[in-house]
Amino acid sequence: MLQYGARRLLTSIPVLVGIVVVVFVLARLIPGGACKAMLGEKATEAACERFDRANGLDKPVINCIKSVRPLRFGGCFVNPVETQLFIYAGQLLRGDFGQSIRFSRPVSIILVEQIPTTIELSLAALALAVLIGVPAGILSAIRHNSAVDIATMAGANIGVSMPVFWLGLMLAFLFSIVIPILPPSGRISAGLTAEPFYQVWGLYLAKGTAIYTLLEFFSNLYILNSILTLDFEVLFDVLKHLILPAAALSTIPLSIIARMTRSSLLEVLGQEYIRAAKAKGVPRVRLVVRHALRNALLPVVTIIGLSLGGLLGGAVLTETVFKLSGVGRILFEAITARDYPIIQAFTLVIAVSYVVINMIVDISYSYLDPRIRLQ
């Protein structure tokens, strides 16, 4: 198991390197440039030169030096030391994501502040999708071609078809204006503060250290932080604010998980060993839960893992509708402002999340299917 995990980790390194290079180059191919986006279209060339020099954008992305013998590609060879890409790669190896052009702050601090919002939203949406989608798929497979099956699949088709931004607005209108029981936007009510757990515990650390950054990240996970501080008022308030955006974001993965569970379970229920178990008089509940469901879960687990990665990277519309400052919203704003360090850092974090999630999914296969464990 450890060898398999190590091999997967090593094979993912070239993927991450390729993602860094592609995102770095593509971000700089966006028309307009950071200077025009930040200073306006009327910014002079002198002002843009000063701006680029201050933000390290005056160096070439790829620096070509003429060689004595002409080469096949343009008659130049790459001198990486003086390029923006080489400098950024050196920063990444030191764990430094650079300085935000727009906010003039370290990108790592912005990551610590913004990512917890998206993580909470994505995990809540995935929990709703799994807790509702898997039982709905099982029920639909057991009651195949019945009214329950037809209604469940019709609901799944509707869930896939509804745009998230429209559904979010409709949920906010219904449950915040027509029936005012849930807050329409935001992450926590005005007047409430989530005091960091490390301060409640009497831990005062110097800012800028690695342990301080790590504790600050966990304290920005408001649900976890309120549990650790036993602040149930903040906990219930954060959960109330999370219901509507999580419900809106969960509709598409919920529908996909329900349909995949149904189709996979129907396939397993038609196999010979299931018919043999029926002939032996195995109770129906035990037949489905113990014999069929475990073998049917392999494609479902894959869909769940991919859904989590998609939720982490695709929550921009939900965060915008419900005014949540997370990865999606700040990444969209960074692209508009040509804030290259934020674009690169957030994209890399999302890519790493995909790699880690896929690795966990692959490892979980061996626990679900003994045949994979023996290979």
Side-chain angles (χ1 to χ4, degrees):
M1 185 67 65
L2 292 177
Q3 292 179 353
Y4 174 76
R7 286 199 304 270
R8 283 301 308 272
L9 185 62
L10 289 175
T11 55
S12 64
I13 292 176
V15 176
L16 296 177
V17 172
I19 290 172
V20 170
V21 175
V22 170
V23 172
F24 188 92
V25 175
L26 289 181
R28 282 154 177 78
L29 292 178
I30 300 175
C35 175
K36 297 293 184 181
M38 295 297 296
L39 302 182
E41 294 294 332
K42 295 183 179 180
T44 62
E45 292 186 5
C48 284
E49 289 179 1
R50 291 193 298 270
F51 180 88
D52 291 342
R53 194 180 308 112
N55 292 281
L57 302 176
D58 55 329
K59 297 180 175 60
V61 178
I62 296 178
N63 186 21
C64 285
I65 301 176
K66 294 293 181 180
S67 60
V68 177
R69 180 181 299 176
L71 300 180
R72 181 179 300 176
F73 300 104
C76 65
F77 66 92
V78 176
N79 179 19
V81 178
E82 298 180 1
T83 63
Q84 296 180 39
L85 180 58
F86 184 86
I87 296 172
Y88 181 67
Q91 291 177 341
L92 283 182
L93 292 176
R94 298 192 301 270
D96 182 12
F97 289 105
Q99 194 89 355
S100 169
I101 298 174
R102 182 185 178 196
F103 300 105
S104 299
R105 298 174 60 203
V107 177
S108 57
I109 301 298
I110 300 175
L111 280 169
V112 168
E113 294 174 352
Q114 306 297 330
I115 282 185
T117 303
T118 302
I119 290 177
E120 282 189 344
L121 176 60
S122 300
L123 291 179
L126 186 67
L128 284 175
V130 173
L131 292 176
I132 299 175
V134 172
I138 295 173
L139 182 62
S140 183
I142 295 174
R143 306 290 298 275
H144 183 49
N145 287 333
S146 66
V148 174
D149 182 23
I150 296 173
T152 302
M153 290 302 100
N157 289 331
I158 293 173
V160 171
S161 304
M162 282 191 298
V164 174
F165 63 89
W166 178 85
L167 180 60
L169 291 174
M170 291 301 101
L171 289 176
F173 174 76
L174 178 61
F175 293 103
S176 300
I177 298 177
V178 178
I179 309 173
I181 57 176
L182 293 173
S185 62
R187 194 180 178 197
I188 191 172
S189 297
L192 286 179
T193 56
E195 187 176 0
F197 68 91
Y198 58 87
Q199 293 184 5
V200 175
W201 292 358
L203 300 175
Y204 294 95
L205 304 169
K207 292 185 178 182
T209 60
I211 186 64
Y212 173 83
T213 303
L214 183 63
L215 293 179
E216 188 69 16
F217 169 79
F218 285 112
S219 68
N220 286 327
L221 294 167
Y222 284 176
I223 295 177
L224 176 63
N225 185 79
S226 58
I227 292 174
L228 293 177
T229 58
L230 301 179
D231 193 341
F232 296 108
E233 182 182 6
V234 171
L235 175 62
F236 293 141
D237 186 79
V238 171
L239 290 175
K240 283 176 60 178
H241 281 79
L242 197 59
I243 291 174
L244 292 183
L249 189 60
S250 68
T251 52
I252 294 179
L254 189 156
S255 303
I256 296 173
I257 289 171
R259 293 178 64 87
M260 180 59 69
T261 303
R262 174 184 179 272
S263 61
S264 181
L265 188 56
L266 281 175
E267 182 181 355
V268 173
L269 287 174
Q271 294 183 3
E272 293 183 0
Y273 79 95
I274 296 294
R275 292 196 292 268
K278 285 182 181 178
K280 292 180 181 179
V282 176
R284 190 175 185 181
V285 175
R286 184 180 177 186
L287 180 71
V288 172
V289 174
R290 186 165 183 177
H291 294 274
L293 185 58
R294 186 170 182 177
N295 290 331
L297 280 179
L298 285 178
V300 179
V301 169
T302 303
I303 292 297
I304 291 173
L306 294 176
S307 297
L308 180 57
L311 291 173
L312 288 171
V316 55
L317 292 176
T318 306
E319 292 174 356
T320 302
V321 169
F322 292 97
K323 298 188 184 304
L324 296 173
S325 185
V327 169
R329 187 177 179 186
I330 198 168
L331 185 57
F332 171 77
E333 294 174 354
I335 294 173
T336 304
R338 310 299 191 271
D339 196 341
Y340 302 134
I342 289 184
I343 297 173
Q344 294 155 187
F346 278 58
T347 306
L348 180 60
V349 169
I350 294 172
V352 171
S353 301
Y354 263 105
V355 170
V356 173
I357 291 168
N358 286 330
M359 188 182 304
I360 294 173
V361 168
D362 289 346
I363 293 174
S364 67
Y365 284 171
S366 62
Y367 292 99
L368 295 172
D369 193 342
R371 294 170 297 180
I372 297 177
R373 196 182 311 154
L374 295 174
Q375 290 179 357

